[in-house]
Amino acid sequence: MAEIKSDNKWAATQWADKAPLFWQMVFRVFSSDLLLLINHLVPFLLVGSYNMTTSRSRITEAEINELISKLHALLPEARRRGTHRASSAKLLKETCSYIKSLHREVDDLSDRLSYLISSMDVTTSQAEIIRSLLR
Amino acid sequence: MHATKEFNKKAFLKQFLLGLHVSNSVTNSISIQQRKNSIKLSADLAMALARGRTHWTHALITKLGQKEENKTTLQGILGRRYEILMARYSCPLLYQKVQRSKKSVRSYRFSYAANRRRSALKGSCVRVPPSVVARNLEHRRTKVLKRLVPGGELLNGSSLLSEALDYVISLKSQVDMMKSLWRATQVSSSSRNVELIPSAPLQRKEASCTSK
């Protein structure tokens, strides 16, 4: 019994010495391939969950209508009388123009902010930060 | 269905101000153009981080991280999180797939046009399957939207619409926050310049805050 135990211990120590090296080698050999594989799969993993098949899009047509109405509600249209103005081409064009105008506003605002901040010194900007955090 | 941006205003403001502070301290004597770019960068980053994990935030952060001139500012803003975020969001094959799909779309269009030309010469009707026609039409209509929404080139149909909706909501709140920040900065700087009684501008500012 003692011999078996000692044998096991010896085997255990042998394996314990070699195991990390072994796993390191395995990992090194497969890691490059694994990483490549994962890197290759990630776009499919990401995109696959977002692409909808045609059968699924038929089931969720109510969702599409809801989305369209929500977009419609967001867009700053001055003349919003009936609900039957939601032709998809018009909606898409207006969404695109709205996004472009928002981008332009962000540009303009960052311009003004950069000018203002450059004319302020450090202490005033810190006070301003504290004040706006209190809002 | 979609989480409203009401809860994320604080997160956006915190992140944006942190970014402003970092870009201010790092770059003290540079041109206004560079400062504007760093402000825009920190605003976009704050918007994407405050929104959470959606497709467009992923694509936006990837795009921001890929440009060479942004890396130092990003490292300053994010600190230790920079490596984690870049490891999570760097996916070069994502954009290779985009280019591949552009080529396939071009070949679709080319074959469609060639088919039309051929049949126009022959005088018969176009022999194109209706699914291809529908797909071409949809692609032509959503081309601009796909280019505007970050990561939009990979999406189709209703997912593109939902991502665009989310992006529009976030953009609108980003613009609103920046406007209010600018107004606050303007009020404080003008009050400092005019050198009024200290209590008066504070009262005016508090009144404007509560009215908002």
Side-chain angles (χ1 to χ4, degrees):
Chain A
M1 282 273 279
E3 287 168 0
I4 299 173
K5 266 191 199 163
S6 62
D7 273 341
N8 280 341
K9 249 196 229 170
W10 178 83
T13 50
Q14 279 278 316
W15 186 245
D17 281 334
K18 291 205 181 129
L21 279 175
F22 174 69
W23 288 115
Q24 272 174 34
M25 260 173 45
V26 165
F27 188 65
R28 223 176 290 149
V29 161
F30 285 113
S31 66
S32 51
D33 295 339
L34 258 179
L35 281 176
L36 277 176
L37 194 67
I38 290 173
N39 234 352
H40 181 67
L41 280 178
V42 164
F44 293 103
L45 288 171
L46 281 175
V47 175
S49 60
Y50 290 104
N51 274 336
M52 295 204 190
T53 60
T54 48
S55 60
R56 214 183 141 187
S57 69
R58 260 177 230 136
I59 298 173
T60 57
E61 196 159 322
E63 245 183 49
I64 295 179
N65 286 332
E66 195 186 325
L67 285 172
I68 290 178
S69 59
K70 271 193 190 169
L71 264 179
H72 225 344
L74 274 181
L75 298 180
E77 279 183 14
R79 35 176 188 89
R80 273 227 62 226
R81 265 149 230 163
T83 47
H84 288 289
R85 300 260 178 151
S87 89
S88 60
K90 230 193 221 179
L91 178 81
L92 284 174
K93 272 190 202 163
E94 281 174 9
T95 313
C96 294
S97 66
Y98 188 47
I99 292 181
K100 276 191 219 165
S101 74
L102 283 176
H103 280 166
R104 255 180 281 137
E105 267 197 70
V106 166
D107 227 5
D108 181 44
L109 274 170
S110 63
D111 219 357
R112 288 191 232 168
L113 272 175
S114 72
Y115 184 66
L116 268 181
I117 288 180
S118 64
S119 62
M120 288 195 320
D121 41 325
V122 185
T123 52
T124 55
S125 62
Q126 280 178 352
E128 199 267 318
I129 285 169
I130 294 168
R131 232 181 285 138
S132 48
L133 275 175
L134 285 172
R135 249 185 278 147
Chain B
M1 190 162 57
H2 300 276
T4 55
K5 204 51 158 87
E6 298 304 321
F7 308 112
N8 294 333
K9 277 185 178 168
K10 270 191 195 161
F12 171 79
L13 193 61
K14 250 204 290 188
Q15 187 71 37
F16 183 42
L17 289 174
L18 177 69
L20 279 181
H21 193 62
V22 165
S23 62
N24 229 10
S25 58
V26 161
T27 55
N28 254 327
S29 56
I30 46 162
S31 66
I32 288 187
Q33 182 71 26
Q34 275 178 312
R35 206 184 287 274
K36 167 193 165 184
N37 285 339
S38 67
I39 285 181
K40 201 154 74 142
L41 166 72
S42 67
D44 286 335
L45 183 69
M47 173 174 72
L49 284 177
R51 178 59 188 88
R53 303 200 64 182
T54 57
H55 189 85
W56 65 265
T57 54
H58 186 107
L60 185 61
I61 295 184
T62 314
K63 252 191 250 181
L64 288 176
Q66 270 176 352
K67 291 192 190 162
E68 280 305 317
E69 64 257 16
N70 291 341
K71 280 192 180 164
T72 48
T73 329
L74 276 176
Q75 259 171 338
I77 295 174
L78 297 173
R80 252 179 297 140
R81 282 193 292 166
Y82 176 68
E83 284 95 21
I84 305 172
L85 271 181
M86 283 305 125
R88 209 203 294 175
Y89 286 124
S90 73
C91 193
L93 287 171
L94 203 67
Y95 288 97
Q96 283 179 29
K97 182 170 199 247
V98 168
Q99 284 165 19
R100 248 183 283 140
S101 70
K102 275 189 191 160
K103 275 191 213 161
S104 67
V105 159
R106 242 183 284 147
S107 67
Y108 262 130
R109 281 225 203 114
F110 181 69
S111 63
Y112 178 65
N115 213 348
R116 275 205 98 155
R117 260 180 270 133
R118 220 183 299 135
S119 53
L121 286 175
K122 280 191 197 167
S124 61
C125 61
V126 182
R127 259 177 278 116
V128 179
S131 59
V132 177
V133 171
R135 201 189 324 191
N136 276 347
L137 195 64
E138 187 189 351
H139 186 81
R140 239 185 298 155
R141 286 206 183 136
T142 57
K143 192 166 55 166
V144 186
L145 187 66
K146 281 189 187 200
R147 215 190 320 141
L148 283 176
V149 172
E153 284 124 353
L154 302 165
L155 300 174
N156 274 317
S158 57
S159 45
L160 177 67
L161 274 183
S162 68
E163 288 295 319
L165 180 73
D166 204 34
Y167 185 54
V168 162
I169 295 175
S170 309
L171 265 185
K172 179 121 180 52
S173 56
Q174 182 194 33
V175 163
D176 286 338
M177 298 288 280
M178 285 175 77
K179 256 192 223 171
S180 57
L181 195 69
W182 176 67
R183 252 180 265 144
T185 325
Q186 217 185 19
V187 163
S188 75
S189 70
S190 67
S191 69
R192 243 164 256 282
N193 287 340
V194 174
E195 295 270 286
L196 288 173
I197 308 164
S199 57
L202 276 173
Q203 277 175 20
R204 207 188 326 137
K205 183 158 185 302
E206 275 165 16
S208 64
C209 280
T210 49
S211 67
K212 266 180 244 165

